[in-house]
Amino acid sequence: MSKQEYGRSCGTCARPFTVFRWNPGTGMRYKTTVICQTCAKVKNVCQTCLLDLEYALPTQVRDTALGVQNEAPTSDINREYYAQNMEAKLDGNQTGLDTKPSRAQSAGKEMLKQLARTDPYYKRNRPHICSFFVKGECTRGAECPFRHEMPVNNELSHQNIQDRYHGRSDPVAKKILSMHAESQGLKPPDDQSITSIFLPLLPATSTEQSVRTSVLQSLPSVDASELKSIVHVAKSQCAFVNFKQRSIAETAAHAWAHGLDIDGQRITVKWGRARTKKPDALPV
């Protein structure tokens, strides 16, 4: 392992930090730290892979399950100032994820335990793909320390440090959440016009306001303006949560795959259905 003080700038706050570089094993590629210790402590993630230290999952998966809102600035403005303030507040055991325990967070932790990878994943230590092999110009043959295979170009190959760290638009996290939602019976309907979530078997004490409060509290990253309407049917003890965009509805389905707490009761959610068009009147 090699250590270089102030070897590079942090990938999130842009401050210089001490870089560590090491080889995890024979035939593996060298690993290096890409963010500083302060940014890693704020999000409780690894300095190299940016995965959560407890569950080894992307931050977007963890924050969605626990209902944690990202308060760090995502633009270049005030990033260094925010990092300096957090560095002064952090102590030996405290992280930026300290929140009050609740039933929703307990359910979110159970969800994370189900999704957490327990087996070692050695593929992440493989050497990078040889760029000369891709061009057909590599002359090293079997002695080449890089992998001789063609790269796979899909949505999982387009990632960056900022999105992965802040938990936004992460394709890996989206795939994990989508697979979990489908396993819970929340596969998104093919009809893209469906942007509503159905909440059946609500408590008798529930109201439209209590449903709205529960929805917004469980989706800290979603603004109230993204809600189109909430239709509460007291007689049938159910409600429809209508969103303005399909992407926001899918985010809600991912967050509520383990259920939604309303008035102290866990509610199983379902996707809404498209309205059936009335047949045109026959000509007289």
Side-chain angles (χ1 to χ4, degrees), residues 186-213:
L186 283 174
K187 182 179 180 180
D190 296 333
D191 189 354
Q192 294 294 321
S193 64
I194 299 177
T195 59
S196 62
I197 301 295
F198 177 55
L199 307 178
L201 303 177
L202 294 177
T205 58
S206 65
T207 61
E208 180 178 339
Q209 183 60 36
S210 64
V211 173
R212 179 180 296 272
T213 301

Side-chain angles (χ1 to χ4, degrees), residues 97-117:
L97 297 175
D98 295 333
T99 54
K100 296 181 180 179
S102 62
R103 287 190 58 190
Q105 285 196 347
S106 299
K109 290 182 178 180
E110 291 298 326
M111 168 183 168
L112 293 177
K113 290 180 181 179
Q114 296 176 5
L115 297 176
R117 182 188 295 273

